[in-house]
Amino acid sequence: MEQKKVVTIQDISCFGKCSLTVALPIISAMGLSCAVIPTAVLSTHTGGFTGFTFHSLTDDIPKIADHWEREGIAFDGISTGYLGDERQIEIVSDFIGRFGRGKMVFVDPAMADAGVLYKGFDMDFVKSMRTLCERADVTVPNITEAALLTGTEYREEGYGEDYILDLLHKLVGMGAGCAVITGVSYDGVNEGAVAYDGVTGEITQYFTGRIPTRCHGTGDVFAAVLFGALVLGYGMEKSLRLAVEFTVDSIRKTVGDETHWYGVKFEQAIPGLIDMLKE
Ligand code: PXL
């Protein structure tokens, strides 16, 4: 049987476990053929490191697209993650226009967490990211990103279902086919993700025991599994369960190891992910 083929478009942070160095191994382990477009090369990610290098590959993206078009290469799905600036978002949007017709377009607006934008981003960047989310079949912001994208007040805790549903309705109202908000905890005891399908109106959610810690790169881990599972044809219910359980398992394997502050040990959770896929 022909193998499903996807491309993921995000940076390579050479050290630090996020974006491509997380997406590629996870998507490959799920049995998909995963092509990449590295949008930039950084010596490390920008969370917790200072003095990192940043080499943009924006101008290579149209050339890669031109070559792939000449070769007749096509994909079953396209996912995007951390992007460096507004021009890069525009060029990635153009790539989606050329390769994404009728395919799954999955956008993780990786730009903020815990109520604050990542280093180097401002509200113009948010505005630009909104245009990418508008054309996504599935977009997966955390609460901070969803609040920024929709111009809604950010709430760290003590919110209820109505707050999350309001964010989801606004995201779908912008044009996203389906919105999934990650890192949702109503009671501080359980944490998970809530999805709203703008076409069917269906709400799907999956929660599991919350581990009270913040680890870098967990949004990228979650996005890789959810994207892979949806392209493989699993429904939202199973896909959300796989993504939440794998993310939590990666965190569980990391907490308590202070030498591993820069990312999660997702590698050690991969055998469990493969078992869950077979269920
Ligand atoms: O995990 C998201 C991410 C991806 N890539 C880079 C980052 C971050 C978050 O800080 O800095 C370069």
Side-chain angles (χ1 to χ4, degrees):
M1 204 176 73
E2 195 175 334
Q3 192 183 22
K4 294 271 189 196
K5 200 148 74 288
V6 297
V7 56
T8 184
I9 308 175
Q10 43 192 324
D11 71 282
I12 291 194
S13 291
C14 298
F15 181 83
K17 292 206 279 192
C18 64
S19 37
L20 274 190
T21 64
V22 162
L24 178 58
I26 292 174
I27 293 169
S28 300
M30 294 175 80
L32 293 140
S33 172
C34 186
V36 300
I37 298 187
T39 54
V41 179
L42 292 83
S43 50
T44 65
H45 60 64
T46 67
F49 295 99
T50 50
F52 46 83
T53 68
F54 186 102
H55 177 72
S56 173
L57 296 170
T58 303
D59 293 333
D60 287 56
I61 301 172
K63 295 182 211 162
I64 293 169
D66 290 346
H67 183 210
W68 285 357
E69 250 174 18
R70 288 198 302 276
E71 297 286 344
I73 295 168
F75 301 99
D76 299 297
I78 301 172
S79 84
T80 70
Y82 181 98
L83 299 171
D85 55 37
E86 288 100 305
R87 185 164 156 263
Q88 194 162 82
I89 292 177
E90 224 170 273
I91 285 175
V92 167
S93 188
D94 183 60
F95 179 92
I96 290 170
R98 292 167 71 175
F99 287 85
R101 233 162 299 118
K103 313 297 179 189
M104 154 115 21
V105 175
F106 186 102
V107 174
D108 178 3
M111 59 182 176
D113 200 8
V116 289
L117 282 162
Y118 296 148
K119 277 176 208 155
F121 294 155
D122 57 18
M123 285 313 288
D124 285 338
F125 183 86
V126 172
K127 215 163 126 189
S128 186
M129 187 57 92
R130 189 179 302 144
T131 65
L132 200 60
C133 293
E134 283 166 7
R135 56 188 311 174
D137 294 306
V138 181
T139 186
V140 291
N142 58 35
I143 297 177
T144 305
E145 290 156 349
L148 285 165
L149 287 166
T150 60
T152 309
E153 181 201 358
Y154 168 69
R155 294 176 65 180
E156 176 101 26
E157 53 188 14
Y159 51 81
E161 233 174 13
D162 50 346
Y163 176 65
I164 298 300
L165 291 182
D166 177 51
L167 290 172
L168 286 168
H169 280 117
K170 286 175 177 164
L171 288 162
V172 165
M174 279 164 32
C178 176
V180 183
I181 299 186
T182 61
V184 176
S185 180
Y186 294 126
D187 55 7
V189 176
N190 292 301
E191 183 165 336
V194 186
Y196 174 56
D197 185 321
V199 178
T200 63
E202 201 174 342
I203 299 279
T204 311
Q205 50 191 9
Y206 185 83
F207 288 88
T208 190
R210 175 165 186 262
I211 303 173
T213 181
R214 272 187 196 278
C215 297
H216 196 274
T218 49
D220 300 355
V221 166
F222 175 91
V225 178
L226 187 66
F227 172 57
L230 291 172
V231 173
L232 284 171
Y234 295 106
M236 184 55 84
E237 199 171 329
K238 176 155 180 178
S239 300
L240 266 193
R241 176 163 65 83
L242 290 171
V244 171
E245 287 292 355
F246 181 73
T247 306
V248 169
D249 200 27
S250 300
I251 296 169
R252 201 179 293 123
K253 290 187 162 26
T254 312
V255 283
D257 180 352
E258 279 165 22
T259 66
H260 218 91
W261 59 270
Y262 53 87
V264 286
K265 297 178 184 173
F266 73 90
E267 304 88 342
Q268 297 179 7
I270 284 179
L273 173 63
I274 293 168
D275 287 344
M276 283 191 288
L277 278 171
K278 289 187 211 141
E279 279 166 16

